[in-house]
Structures are given as structure tokens and as C-alpha cells.
Amino acid sequence: LRDKTAVQKVILFDLDGVLVDVSNSYRLAIKKTAEFFTKQKITDKEIQAFKEKGGYNNDWNLTEAVILARGLRISKEKIIKKFQEFYKIFREGETLLLSKETLENLSEKYRLGIVTGRPRDEAGYVLKRFNVFKFFDAVIAMEDCGKKQKPDPFGINLALKKLEISKTNKMQPMLERNAVYLGDNIDDIIAAKNAGIKAIGI
């Protein structure tokens, strides 16, 4: 068993694009939703360009941005409704990017957590589907952060608080928390740095 009194080492993960391949689920839902409203072909390159800009960690917002870029204004409620319809069709196409065995091995050495922009039900669904939920000591989802989504560090700070990783001592301002966050876009990296932990881009 892990010694809870020892200095904890923490690995925090983004979910989509880091732990789970969403190219055939969320990415496809963005594409199909935007195409549904614009009646135009949307390319993967166009979607990736928005991801790389930053500020579009939420796929509903990204879908809206793609539609706006084509000169159309659709209510967010309609976008979300159609997006969720597509996602429920495509979510079985998700696959794990890290094996269950790897996560189990990591969980024996580190405290693991997830900070994701997914709704809680959808995060829980995929983790339970692959039987890896038990390896994570904290799962922070969209509802936990409210309007403070990445790149705001709120979600990462909340995960660290749940894992009892406090901010560095004021006498040692240059020391980082003993934690790292793995993400796949610029918002993840900024959020981690603002939380005072190391960031690894995937």
C-alpha cells in the first residue's frame, strides 16, 4: 500500500486525446454537427486549427466557432442538442491510449487524477467502460469547474486539493508542487503552469 504520509507524487491527465482516442467520437461529433448546420464539408485540419489556437477546450464552444467561421449563427442550445445526439452514436468508437496494465502500474507508484472538460457522466462512462476508474484518486469534470474551464487552473488546483497536494511554501516560491499534468493542447499547458506544476504536451 502507498504510504499516505510520504511526499506524494501526482500525475494528472487530461482525458480526451491523452488517455482516450476521441478521433472517432468527439472529433467526429464536432465535424458532423458543424456539417449538419452549415451544409458544408468540415475538415479535420480546420477543427485542429481551432484546437491549436487555444480557448476552445470545450467541444461545444469549438463546434460553435466552426459554424460561426462559416458565417452562420446557431443557438448554443441547438448545437449542444445535436452534438450530444451524434456523440452518443459515436462514443463506442473510443479506445484507450494507455493500457489498463500501464495505468495499474502507475497507480501503484503515484496518485493519479483526471482534469477534463467532459461532462461528469461522460467521463465516468468511458473510465468504467474500460474498467480503469478505480486507478484514479480524483476525477474533475466540467461541472466541477463551472465557468472556470481550462486554461484557468481551477480544475487542476481542485484535483491537487483533493489529492492533498498543497501549494509550495512561501519561503520556497521557485519549488513546484510534486505533480505533473499531461494534456494535448495549449489550454492544458497554460492551466498546468498557472497551477504551479509541470506540464507535458501530448
Side-chain angles (χ1 to χ4, degrees):
L1 295 175
R2 286 170 295 190
D3 181 1
K4 299 292 185 180
T5 64
V7 175
Q8 299 288 355
K9 294 182 179 180
V10 167
I11 303 176
L12 298 177
F13 298 88
D14 183 24
L15 191 55
D16 302 335
V18 177
L19 286 178
V20 178
D21 183 350
V22 296
S23 57
N24 290 315
S25 60
Y26 277 112
R27 287 297 179 99
L28 195 53
I30 294 169
K31 178 181 173 69
K32 294 298 183 183
T33 302
E35 289 179 344
F36 175 85
F37 288 112
T38 65
K39 310 302 181 188
Q40 301 174 33
K41 182 174 176 58
I42 306 296
T43 66
D44 294 335
K45 185 176 180 180
E46 184 176 354
I47 294 170
Q48 184 61 30
F50 276 100
K51 281 284 188 183
E52 291 173 1
K53 282 182 182 179
Y56 294 106
N57 190 61
N58 182 301
D59 287 342
W60 297 336
N61 293 341
L62 194 156
T63 305
E64 182 181 38
V66 172
I67 294 170
L68 281 170
R70 297 301 178 99
L72 293 174
R73 187 174 295 277
I74 307 296
S75 75
K76 181 63 75 63
E77 292 77 13
K78 288 182 179 180
I79 291 172
I80 292 173
K81 184 173 185 285
K82 182 55 65 175
F83 183 100
Q84 292 304 114
E85 288 175 5
F86 280 123
Y87 174 68
K88 287 180 181 178
I89 295 171
F90 300 142
R91 68 181 181 180
E92 298 306 316
E94 294 179 339
T95 57
L96 272 182
L97 292 170
L98 281 181
S99 69
K100 180 180 176 182
E101 291 73 22
T102 297
L103 289 171
E104 183 173 14
N105 289 337
L106 287 173
S107 73
E108 292 172 355
K109 299 176 183 178
Y110 308 98
R111 301 200 74 186
L112 305 183
I114 290 173
V115 181
T116 178
R118 278 197 189 209
R120 185 180 295 107
D121 287 348
E122 292 173 14
Y125 174 84
V126 71
L127 293 172
K128 291 172 184 175
R129 178 184 164 211
F130 292 116
N131 196 26
V132 295
F133 194 98
K134 59 190 174 184
F135 301 132
F136 297 95
D137 298 304
V139 177
I140 305 302
M142 180 179 70
E143 295 89 338
D144 298 304
C145 301
K147 294 183 178 180
K148 296 181 179 180
Q149 302 292 323
K150 294 177 286 186
D152 192 299
F154 181 85
I156 291 177
N157 284 327
L158 182 58
L160 294 173
K161 183 177 180 181
K162 287 179 177 288
L163 296 171
E164 299 176 351
I165 303 297
S166 63
K167 290 186 177 180
T168 54
N169 190 302
K170 290 182 180 179
M171 299 297 292
Q172 297 174 309
M174 298 305 293
L175 287 180
E176 291 181 317
R177 296 171 175 181
N178 201 7
V180 62
Y181 183 60
L182 282 71
D184 70 329
N185 65 51
I186 189 65
D187 289 343
D188 297 323
I189 305 304
I190 294 171
K193 288 184 177 295
N194 288 340
I197 68 174
K198 293 181 176 68
I200 297 178
I202 305 300

